[in-house]
Amino acid sequence: MDLKYKLKEMIIEEMQIEDLTPEEIADDAPLFGDGLGLDSLDAVELVVQLQIYFGVEIKNIEQGRPALQSINTLADFVKAHQAEASKV
Amino acid sequence: MEAVYQKSSKETVEHPLDHQFDHPPINNPIDQLKDLSPKVPGKGDAGIELLRAGVSGLEQYVAKSKLRRVDHYSRMALLAAGRTLEDSKLSSPESSNRTGVIVATGYGALESTFSFLDSYIERGDKLALPTHFSNSVHNAAAAHISICYGISGPTLTVSQFDLSFISALITAGTWLETDKVDAVLVGAVDEWCELTGYCMQRFSEHSDTSPRSFGEGAVFFLVTREKTAPPRYGYFKEITMGRNLDRQDPGPYDIIFSPSSAALSPDTFSPDKLSSDILSKTPENRIRVWKRKKGGSPTDMGMDAFFAFKCKKDNGLDVCCLKQGEAGMFGKVILTLSKKISLFNP
């Protein structure tokens, strides 16, 4: 399954978003604020779920802010850090 | 006032008071104590049928977007509180900072608590789930009520297990008497989960399979000072918490007795002894006693008060709701439907 689709499924499931399917989430839609409408508590939850689902860790805000902009940026972050982890 | 409670599989109201209050006085109440026969606690993996209180209709009071992370415990409280506010027609924004919120709960948000603990045990502290933690705190329900209904007066959550509701009522009375607020939205909420059902069966001294009451639900009252408009349902005439129940005024009352919810706690006084003590001081035909079977919910007293106000015909008898606590403690509330002078009214 496509990584972006998995991310969307994870967000819907773990953020408890009803009435939305993965197909309805645009890859470039903002995750927070006006886009998907997630908030700061969701951000904390997302960090934990990324580690549970994909084994990647957002260690600080400098990493987190660019990564959590959209599905695209999140997928890029996961790919990059999974690749790093596999090299070690 | 309003309540949210479990429905049976037959979709009938569960609480026996709905059917029993119209009965004439019993000639020999000691021999004919009516069991407040419980909703049968559930059957899940532990072989306990799970009966959850429905929360459909909550979107009528709270936008769906605001309910995204709200768990079942808080949803029950939100629905009961929303219905109570609607029932009381308290919608004026000017009064929101003169209205307080007090929520009583014995167990708190059980499912969220266990979910958080499971995540902590399985994955460690770094990967424990933040949302489950935020919902697991006992005061989550009161917070959601205040935020969703725009109530900016004082907010409190009381947890004193079986005596939570009566403790909340005492506090509500204090707030009203000291003019801290003009009205208090006071209620009780407790939820059922499979783990508690398993523990009750597995560890309880009552190892038989007889049903025991552990209802889940939420009940709320909007209480005000007596000097405001006449009450729609009645009065909380007397609220007592303490020991030495047998020294209390025996009535005459219609008595509803609810034993302690703690399955493992010893009965420090027997409901049958309670009945005989009370009945020895009261004419037989002027008292009726209902007692629950072993086990109960911390919210029993709130539910009993709700059904007493709702179902009881005004036959001149007040209703005495008794809740057994631990170590000899008890809670007692006298409800009256008459327009007598009292502390405050719901």
Side-chain angles (χ1 to χ4, degrees):
Chain A
M1 192 184 290
D2 178 51
L3 173 61
K4 291 181 186 177
Y5 194 89
K6 283 185 196 172
L7 283 167
K8 292 173 187 178
E9 277 192 326
M10 178 199 77
I11 287 173
I12 288 171
E13 171 72 24
E14 302 299 341
M15 306 302 124
Q16 299 170 50
I17 301 173
E18 296 176 354
D19 303 329
L20 196 65
T21 63
E23 291 79 9
E24 291 170 318
I25 301 177
D27 291 355
D28 59 353
L31 295 179
F32 298 90
D34 291 337
L36 215 52
L38 302 183
D39 57 24
S40 55
L41 184 57
D42 293 313
V44 180
E45 186 76 34
L46 205 47
V47 168
V48 172
Q49 296 297 345
L50 277 174
Q51 202 157 349
I52 294 172
Y53 274 72
F54 302 101
V56 297
E57 185 181 350
I58 294 179
K59 293 182 180 172
N60 48 51
I61 196 167
E62 286 75 27
Q63 280 189 336
R65 184 162 281 154
L68 296 177
Q69 293 299 309
S70 65
I71 294 293
N72 281 337
T73 56
L74 205 50
D76 291 342
F77 179 87
V78 170
K79 278 184 210 167
H81 285 78
Q82 280 183 333
E84 264 183 36
S86 67
K87 285 180 189 172
V88 174
Chain B
M1 65 175 187
E2 274 296 341
V4 171
Y5 44 86
Q6 295 164 281
K7 298 290 176 68
S8 73
S9 57
K10 296 178 185 176
E11 294 299 318
T12 55
V13 174
E14 284 285 351
H15 201 286
L17 286 181
D18 239 10
H19 308 294
Q20 291 182 0
F21 252 130
D22 288 345
H23 291 187
I26 303 164
N27 288 334
N28 194 346
I30 296 176
D31 291 341
Q32 296 181 41
L33 284 172
K34 297 221 179 240
D35 286 330
L36 287 178
S37 262
K39 318 162 207 346
V40 178
K43 285 177 194 166
D45 291 339
I48 302 171
E49 183 180 348
L50 197 64
L51 294 173
R52 308 305 299 274
V55 290
S56 60
L58 180 54
E59 290 86 4
Q60 181 185 343
Y61 304 99
V62 182
K64 202 171 183 181
S65 57
K66 290 189 177 180
L67 295 173
R68 182 162 61 88
R69 283 190 295 253
V70 178
D71 64 2
H72 183 67
Y73 164 81
S74 291
R75 285 181 187 232
M76 288 194 292
L78 276 169
L79 181 56
R83 285 183 182 166
T84 299
L85 290 170
E86 182 182 54
D87 185 45
S88 69
K89 297 177 177 46
L90 182 73
S91 57
S92 166
E94 287 80 29
S95 60
S96 66
N97 64 347
R98 293 288 298 171
T99 299
V101 176
I102 304 178
V103 174
T105 181
Y107 287 107
L110 279 176
E111 277 209 286
S112 293
T113 299
F114 289 136
S115 294
F116 172 74
L117 290 174
D118 284 343
S119 70
Y120 180 91
I121 291 167
E122 288 166 13
R123 293 189 284 265
D125 56 344
K126 286 188 179 178
L127 297 181
L129 299 177
T131 304
H132 287 189
F133 175 75
S134 69
N135 274 328
S136 71
V137 294
H138 284 32
N139 60 4
H144 285 304
I145 289 169
S146 296
I147 292 168
C148 292
Y149 298 129
I151 298 174
S152 53
T155 300
L156 181 68
T157 297
V158 176
S159 185
Q160 199 174 338
F161 204 54
D162 285 309
L163 303 181
S164 300
F165 180 68
I166 193 149
S167 186
L169 273 186
I170 290 171
T171 305
T174 304
W175 285 5
L176 290 168
E177 287 297 306
T178 56
D179 201 26
K180 193 179 179 100
V181 292
D182 295 327
V184 184
L185 186 61
V186 58
V189 53
D190 266 299
E191 73 171 331
W192 171 260
C193 74
E194 287 192 27
L195 183 57
T196 45
Y198 170 78
C199 290
M200 276 194 159
Q201 274 200 339
R202 175 73 176 80
F203 300 112
S204 169
E205 60 189 16
H206 311 299
S207 57
D208 59 66
T209 55
S210 59
R212 56 184 57 87
S213 168
F214 190 95
E216 74 160 21
V219 56
F220 275 85
F221 303 84
L222 189 75
V223 294
T224 59
R225 276 184 290 272
E226 182 199 351
K227 293 176 184 175
T228 55
R232 292 188 59 196
Y233 298 102
Y235 294 87
F236 289 110
K237 181 179 162 189
E238 180 188 325
I239 304 167
T240 309
M241 185 166 66
R243 299 180 193 272
N244 301 315
L245 179 62
D246 56 353
R247 294 182 190 171
Q248 293 293 310
D249 174 12
Y253 303 124
D254 284 332
I255 296 178
I256 307 168
F257 174 77
S258 185
S260 169
S261 312
L264 301 179
S265 72
D267 284 340
T268 52
F269 59 84
S270 158
D272 293 328
K273 179 179 185 303
L274 161 70
S275 309
S276 60
D277 281 348
I278 288 176
L279 291 168
S280 67
K281 300 173 188 175
T282 308
E284 277 189 11
N285 63 349
R286 295 198 65 196
I287 194 164
R288 298 178 291 180
V289 182
W290 288 270
K291 74 172 177 73
R292 294 178 184 280
K293 277 189 177 173
K294 308 170 187 107
S297 164
T299 52
D300 281 345
M301 181 177 255
M303 286 293 184
D304 292 341
F306 169 78
F307 279 99
F309 280 124
K310 189 175 179 185
C311 308
K312 186 183 184 306
K313 292 185 176 176
D314 190 359
N315 60 358
L317 282 185
D318 290 341
V319 176
C320 174
C321 295
L322 290 172
K323 179 67 175 172
Q324 178 188 10
E326 294 181 274
M329 292 291 291
F330 73 92
K332 175 180 135 184
V333 173
I334 307 295
L335 314 174
T336 180
L337 300 181
S338 65
K339 290 177 173 39
K340 296 177 187 173
I341 294 174
S342 63
L343 287 174
F344 53 88
N345 54 59

